Amino acid sequence: MKTAILLGEYLPKNIYSQIERGEIPRPEYCYVADALSAEIISYDDMSKSDRLAVRAARRIADYTGLAAYAFLRRHDFDHFYFTGEDVSMRFAAMMAAALDFGRTTTLVHNAKHFTTKARLKLIPSKVWRHVICLCAEQERILVQECGIPSEKVHRLYNWVDDRFYSPEFMSCANSSSYAFSCGREARDYDTLERAARSTPLEIRVLGSGWAPHVGFQKHADVSGRGGLRVINGNLSYRDLRTAYGAAAFTITPLHPVSYAAGVTSIVEAMAMGKAIIASDTAGISDYLKPGISGIVVRPNDPVSLANAIQKLNDDPALRAAMGSHNRKWVEEEMSSRAYAAKVAAICGAS
């Protein structure tokens, strides 16, 4: 079976040499490409196309341009795997119009988003070969609210390159004098700021995020009041790894959302052998075992968050045990290699 992996982004310049030099983590789509013996197609390929239909579609959006490019090449492949719904929804609509069914697999991050949900309801489910999601709540939405047959929906853990994010790169163990929080999407840094006022522990915040369609986003509006120390700018991946490694534990304060916002920073910290404090959201509950992998607190509750921070700060043995559990759990279930193997098993099963 000849598979194309559709990547809704431009490949970073010199990505493979950067991976080889250990400067960046190896993306999960590289592992999936290896597992499926697939060809990666990105915005770079689409932008080089001289097809009039691709150029016209690209004027609407890069997402649409890549979908058109893939559609025009649909006879070159047996199967299409999409890393996100932004491109796959547009491609699936084209495939439905062409009555070309059962060759499209997509990862869906947020089926609750009104445009994604509307498209999933409108597109005939027989277009999909498989639909992959990253948490139980998204699985429920896909099946019960979007009408995707349950046998086509597969829930997998989010991935992390556990060879790049590894305790072997830590400069110090669980004796650090600060906690670390990073990320932008759905973050509730206001609650973290209020919680920080009642704890003596320094909390370092890198309130920026990364998304395929915009690259690195500027840091969120974090004032740095109380015990917060705001890190401005974008850290390199190596510097981010160092920040995780030198922290006593990490904190992911979230607004209540139905998708797995915050999961990237959580699994990266887990891979580094860190205990986690995170808000109890429907999208993140699959990734946290309360009292075992970390402490789960009510969203928008600075008192509960402050208590959790104090508890881990006062108990280095507890956070060491949690961190050890998390590293093992990542190696077993959440590595990029494990994710790719599961995708290959799913796509090769039918």
Side-chain angles (χ1 to χ4, degrees):
M1 181 175 65
K2 191 174 181 181
T3 296
I5 294 178
L6 278 298
L7 184 65
E9 60 184 272
Y10 289 96
L11 288 173
K13 187 177 181 180
N14 302 321
I15 178 175
Y16 298 109
S17 60
Q18 289 184 75
I19 294 169
E20 184 68 25
R21 293 194 298 267
E23 295 174 358
I24 64 173
R26 191 170 191 250
E28 99 291 343
Y29 52 79
C30 290
Y31 287 98
V32 175
D34 289 346
L36 295 176
S37 299
E39 177 182 336
I40 297 174
I41 298 174
S42 70
Y43 284 166
D44 302 270
D45 301 284
M46 174 269 296
S47 66
K48 298 172 186 174
S49 174
D50 59 0
R51 301 289 293 270
L52 292 178
V54 175
R55 289 183 176 181
R58 189 185 178 191
R59 291 192 188 100
I60 301 172
D62 281 345
Y63 295 139
T64 310
L66 184 58
Y69 179 83
F71 180 74
L72 292 175
R73 292 194 61 190
R74 67 189 182 279
H75 300 303
D76 295 340
F77 301 96
D78 305 303
H79 174 233
F80 298 86
Y81 170 88
F82 289 81
T83 60
E85 59 266 36
D86 294 311
V87 180
S88 68
M89 295 299 119
R90 293 158 173 82
F91 176 81
M94 297 174 190
M95 294 292 273
L99 303 181
D100 196 333
F101 302 130
R103 298 202 291 137
T104 305
T105 294
T106 187
L107 174 63
V108 173
H109 297 272
N110 184 11
K112 193 72 171 180
H113 190 279
F114 69 96
T115 55
T116 301
K117 189 174 180 180
R119 287 168 175 158
L120 285 166
K121 287 183 174 182
L122 288 171
I123 295 169
S125 61
K126 58 185 177 180
V127 167
W128 306 112
R129 184 174 184 180
H130 303 287
V131 178
I132 298 170
C133 60
L134 301 176
C135 66
E137 178 62 9
Q138 286 294 303
E139 182 180 26
R140 185 196 67 77
I141 293 169
L142 286 165
V143 175
Q144 297 182 15
E145 299 184 22
C146 299
I148 308 297
S150 59
E151 64 270 17
K152 292 191 174 189
V153 178
H154 308 270
R155 172 165 45 101
L156 303 180
Y157 282 119
N158 198 87
W159 56 84
V160 60
D161 183 358
D162 64 325
R163 292 173 174 170
F164 182 87
Y165 292 104
S166 171
E168 71 178 271
F169 297 107
M170 286 169 50
S171 58
C172 56
N174 292 314
S175 58
S176 176
S177 59
Y178 73 90
F180 183 57
S181 184
C182 67
R184 181 181 178 91
E185 190 167 4
R187 296 303 196 274
D188 182 12
Y189 286 125
D190 180 65
T191 294
L192 180 58
E193 284 180 346
R194 287 183 285 161
R197 296 170 191 166
S198 59
T199 174
L201 179 66
E202 178 184 304
I203 300 170
R204 299 183 186 179
V205 176
L206 177 66
S208 60
W210 188 91
H213 59 296
V214 294
F216 277 103
Q217 297 169 300
K218 293 181 180 179
H219 65 83
D221 185 16
V222 188
S223 71
R225 296 188 299 265
L228 296 189
R229 175 185 165 190
V230 178
I231 303 172
N232 291 315
N234 298 310
L235 300 184
S236 69
Y237 283 105
R238 282 178 170 174
D239 288 341
L240 177 61
R241 180 176 65 192
T242 298
Y244 282 129
F249 53 90
T250 68
I251 307 168
T252 306
L254 297 165
H255 295 296
V257 293
S258 63
Y259 63 104
V263 69
T264 299
S265 61
I266 286 174
V267 297
E268 287 172 351
M270 285 181 164
M272 293 298 296
K274 298 299 172 178
I276 311 295
I277 297 175
S279 306
D280 187 12
T281 71
I284 215 69
S285 60
D286 297 42
Y287 296 87
L288 293 171
K289 300 175 182 178
I292 299 174
S293 57
I295 300 177
V296 178
V297 300
R298 291 185 298 272
N300 313 125
D301 187 340
V303 175
S304 294
L305 182 53
N307 289 339
I309 292 170
Q310 194 63 52
K311 181 177 178 63
L312 283 191
N313 188 43
D314 292 342
D315 197 338
L318 175 62
R319 62 181 190 254
M322 289 176 170
S324 177
H325 167 272
N326 289 342
R327 175 64 193 183
K328 183 178 180 182
W329 192 17
V330 162
E331 290 175 344
E332 293 174 349
E333 297 288 346
M334 288 180 270
S335 71
S336 299
R337 298 184 307 282
Y339 176 81
K342 291 171 185 176
V343 169
I346 289 168
C347 293
S350 62

